[in-house]
Structures are given as structure tokens and as C-alpha cells.
């Protein structure tokens, strides 16, 4: 009896917390948890993809399985997760901001322009702006993640060519931040941010656009099916990624430019780097690692959408149209009466 009473009190306490949480906080939490779990699940593929994109000489012509074998031999199992701490530290606030900002911008557009259609174009605009917002706030963490993943640090007992020298090794996230800031200041922490923004605006927008457009063609009785959502999300992610992938390669090479002996000390802009890659490395390099990215995107999007839906259900986030009504109602209730007696 006492145990049942304790469970009831715990449930009531949890209900009280959930009722008190603002809508945007629930969306932040749901997006952050979804992003962190999805990113960790595909971390090994992300590590190899970054090494392909930045064209480390020892990984040329090695292929996916050869690269996995080399990382396992030189760094062990934990090598597949090098840089994942920075990646998760970035993706949690990034995903939280992205999902929340997307929902928030969507509501603001509907409230500001009541006559606007609620079709995929609305999701294209809201998703694009939300993606840019999330990138601006979290880009330094992405830079640090790439620098840490770029390192190939062998065990002291192993002797391999191409392993980064001790002078180039960052000891962790904080050390990487400190050294990058010391070398280049705030500007250094945003090195490669331009192609990120160029890429995220169309990618984030197209991802939401394709997702909503495909859902429109799903029969009404299957629209709440989680497998349908995962399938639509995966295809949307693949399509959006294909169109914007070259900018992702440009961003990675700009982030690790200092370490590459083939690059001069002179800093290049986004278009200069893109042209340089096409001329010196070939246009195929602009799509290097894309096949790995396809392997990564499908499970990542699947896990992300699944966890996001589960978290929204657990946190009792209302449906989108209900959320708009809730925001309008709360705004009206918070406004003082025009005439006081």
C-alpha cells in the first residue's frame, strides 16, 4: 500500500513538473536527447567520413573497411569515438535549438501572417532559418569536433607512419578551444562557418520540405505510423544532403587547413576553397565520403525521429496546430485588460 502511494505521489510530482514546463523547454529537451543518442550511434561512420573529407594521405585509396581496420589497429575501439565527446557536446544544443527554433519560427510565421498557407513551403522557410540559428550558436563546437576527429593518435606501443606528432595533438575539448582561440581568436573558432551557413540553410529547409511533402501523400490512417515517419525522414535527409554535400567537404577542409601540408598558410574563402578542391583534388573530392554519409544519415535520422517522437509524447508536447492555439491563448491570458475598474 505504501509503495503504491509513493508511486502515485511520484507520478503527481512528475505531472506537476511537466505542466509547469514551457512549451519551448519541452521541445529543447526532446530535440537535445534525440540528437545526442542519434549522433553517438553513428559516431564511427562520422569519424571515417571526416577523415575521407579532409583527405588524410594515409586514408587514400583505403576504402571504408580498410579505414575501419586502420583505426582499429592504430587507436583501438575508442578511436572510432575520437571527437565524439565534442560532437555530442555540439549536437545536443544544436539539435535542441534546431527543433525548438523550427517549431517556434513556424508558429511565429503563422501568427504573424495568418493567411499564409501551412504547406511544405512554410516548413522550408522555418527549417532554413532554424538551421542557421542553430549553426551560429554551436559552430565552435563543430570546429573542435572536426579537429579532434582529424587527429590520428597511435598507442605508445604502436609504430605507424602518418600518426600525428605530439605537438599537433589536442588533449581534449577544452584544450582544443584554448589553443584555437590563442592562435586565431574568435575568428578562428568560426573558421569554415560560411560554408556551414551556405549549406545548412538549403539542407535544413529542404529536409523539412521533403519530409512534409512526402507526408502529404501518405494515407491518413498511416500518418501517425512511426515507421512511415522514419522512412519519410530518412529519404528527406538523403535528398537534402546530396544537394548540399560539397559545402560540407569545403567546411571540413577549411577547419583543418592549418594541419594540411598541401595548403599554403594563406587563408581562403568558401568559393576559393571550393575551386581549389575541384582544380587540385578533382571534382570527385567534393563528394568524398558521401557514400558513408548515406550509411550514416539513414540510421541517424531514424533514431533521431524515433527518440524525438518518444520524448515529445513523454513530455506531453501538443500537436503543432494545438501548440499554435496554446501560444495564442497564453499570450492573450498574459496581456493586461484594456480597461481596469
Amino acid at each position: 500500500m505504501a509503495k503504491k502511494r509513493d508511486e502515485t505521489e511520484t507520478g503527481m510530482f512528475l505531472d506537476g513538473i511537466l505542466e509547469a514546463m514551457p512549451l519551448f523547454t519541452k521541445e529543447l529537451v526532446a530535440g537535445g536527447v534525440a540528437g545526442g543518442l542519434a549522433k553517438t550511434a553513428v559516431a564511427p561512420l562520422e569519424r571515417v567520413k571526416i577523415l575521407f573529407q579532409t583527405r588524410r594521405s594515409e586514408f587514400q585509396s583505403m576504402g571504408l573497411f580498410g579505414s575501419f581496420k586502420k583505426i582499429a589497429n592504430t587507436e583501438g575501439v575508442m578511436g572510432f569515438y575520437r571527437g565524439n565527446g565534442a560532437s555530442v557536446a555540439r549536437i545536443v544544443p544544436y539539435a535542441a535549438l534546431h527543433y525548438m527554433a523550427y517549431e517556434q519560427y513556424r508558429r511565429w510565421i503563422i501568427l504573424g501572417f495568418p493567411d499564409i498557407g501551412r504547406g511544405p513551403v512554410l516548413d522550408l522557410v522555418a527549417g532554413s532559418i532554424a538551421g542557421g540559428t542553430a549553426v551560429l550558436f554551436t559552430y565552435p563546437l563543430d570546429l573542435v569536433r572536426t579537429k579532434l576527429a582529424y587527429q590520428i593518435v597511435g598507442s605508445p606501443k604502436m609504430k605507424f607512419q602518418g600518426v600525428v606528432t605530439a605537438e599537433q595533438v589536442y588533449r581534449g575539448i577544452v584544450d582544443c578551444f584554448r589553443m584555437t582561440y590563442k592562435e586565431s581568436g574568435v575568428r578562428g573558432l568560426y573558421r569554415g562557418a560560411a560554408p556551414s551557413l551556405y549549406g545548412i540553410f538549403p539542407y535544413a529547409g529542404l529536409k523539412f520540405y521533403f519530409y512534409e511533402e512526402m507526408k502529404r501523400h501518405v494515407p491518413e490512417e498511416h500518418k501517425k505510423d512511426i515507421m512511415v515517419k522514419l522512412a519519410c525522414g530518412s529519404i528527406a535527409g538523403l535528398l537534402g544532403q546530396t544537394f548540399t554535400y560539397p559545402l560540407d567537404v569545403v567546411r571540413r577542409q577549411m577547419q583543418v587547413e592549418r594541419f594540411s601540408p598541401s595548403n599554403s598558410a594563406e587563408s581562403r574563402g568558401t568559393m576559393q576553397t571550393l575551386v581549389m578542391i575541384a582544380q587540385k583534388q578533382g571534382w570527385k573530392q567534393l563528394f568524398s565520403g558521401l557514400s558513408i554519409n548515406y550509411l550514416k544519415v539513414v540510421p541517424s535520422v531514424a533514431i533521431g525521429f524515433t527518440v524525438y517522437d518518444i520524448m515529445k509524447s513523454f513530455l506531453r508536447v501538443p500537436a503543432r496546430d494545438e501548440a499554435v492555439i496554446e501560444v495564442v491563448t497564453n499570450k492573450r491570458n498574459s496581456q493586461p485588460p484594456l480597461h481596469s475598474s
Side-chain angles (χ1 to χ4, degrees), residues 159-337:
K159 301 291 184 181
F160 287 95
Q161 283 189 338
V163 175
V164 173
T165 61
E167 290 78 15
Q168 292 176 307
V169 175
Y170 296 115
R171 292 188 294 272
I173 298 173
V174 175
D175 185 55
C176 189
F177 263 114
R178 181 182 61 78
M179 290 181 66
T180 303
Y181 181 78
K182 185 178 180 180
E183 290 164 3
S184 310
V186 175
R187 188 174 182 177
L189 292 173
Y190 278 87
R191 178 71 180 154
S196 291
L197 289 171
Y198 297 154
I200 197 62
F201 275 111
Y203 172 65
L206 287 170
K207 184 173 67 175
F208 283 111
Y209 176 87
F210 288 133
Y211 180 61
E212 295 300 326
E213 181 63 26
M214 284 186 288
K215 278 173 57 179
R216 284 179 58 195
H217 299 286
V218 175
E220 195 65 37
E221 62 271 19
H222 294 296
K223 283 194 174 179
K224 292 187 178 180
D225 189 337
I226 192 65
M227 293 307 297
V228 171
K229 291 182 179 180
L230 293 176
C232 291
S234 298
I235 296 170
L238 290 174
L239 290 173
Q241 189 73 192
T242 302
F243 287 124
T244 60
Y245 190 79
L247 287 169
D248 192 42
V249 176
V250 170
R251 168 172 59 117
R252 298 298 183 199
Q253 293 213 12
M254 289 177 71
Q255 287 176 336
V256 299
E257 187 176 47
R258 185 175 74 86
F259 299 123
S260 178
S262 62
N263 287 327
S264 65
E266 181 185 356
S267 296
R268 299 183 180 90
T270 303
M271 292 308 299
Q272 289 176 309
T273 303
L274 191 148
V275 172
M276 181 274 295
I277 293 171
Q279 289 179 342
K280 295 186 178 181
Q281 302 174 20
W283 66 268
K284 288 184 179 179
Q285 179 63 25
L286 292 171
F287 293 90
S288 178
L290 182 57
S291 58
I292 299 176
N293 214 48
Y294 284 153
L295 293 175
K296 177 181 76 77
V297 164
V298 173
S300 178
V301 173
I303 294 168
F305 270 100
T306 302
V307 176
Y308 185 60
D309 280 344
I310 292 172
M311 288 300 298
K312 284 203 300 181
S313 177
F314 173 75
L315 296 171
R316 299 170 197 172
V317 176
R320 283 180 181 162
D321 288 340
E322 293 175 10
V324 173
I325 295 171
E326 181 180 313
V327 170
V328 173
T329 303
N330 291 339
K331 186 177 288 188
R332 286 174 180 170
N333 291 339
S334 64
Q335 289 178 346

Side-chain angles (χ1 to χ4, degrees), residues 125-171:
V125 175
S128 296
I129 302 172
T133 301
V135 164
L136 283 173
F137 277 95
T138 63
Y139 184 80
L141 287 166
D142 183 54
L143 178 79
V144 168
R145 182 273 301 264
T146 300
K147 286 189 173 186
L148 291 174
Y150 182 76
Q151 296 179 158
I152 306 296
V153 185
S155 167
K157 298 179 182 179
M158 299 178 179
K159 301 291 184 181
F160 287 95
Q161 283 189 338
V163 175
V164 173
T165 61
E167 290 78 15
Q168 292 176 307
V169 175
Y170 296 115
R171 292 188 294 272

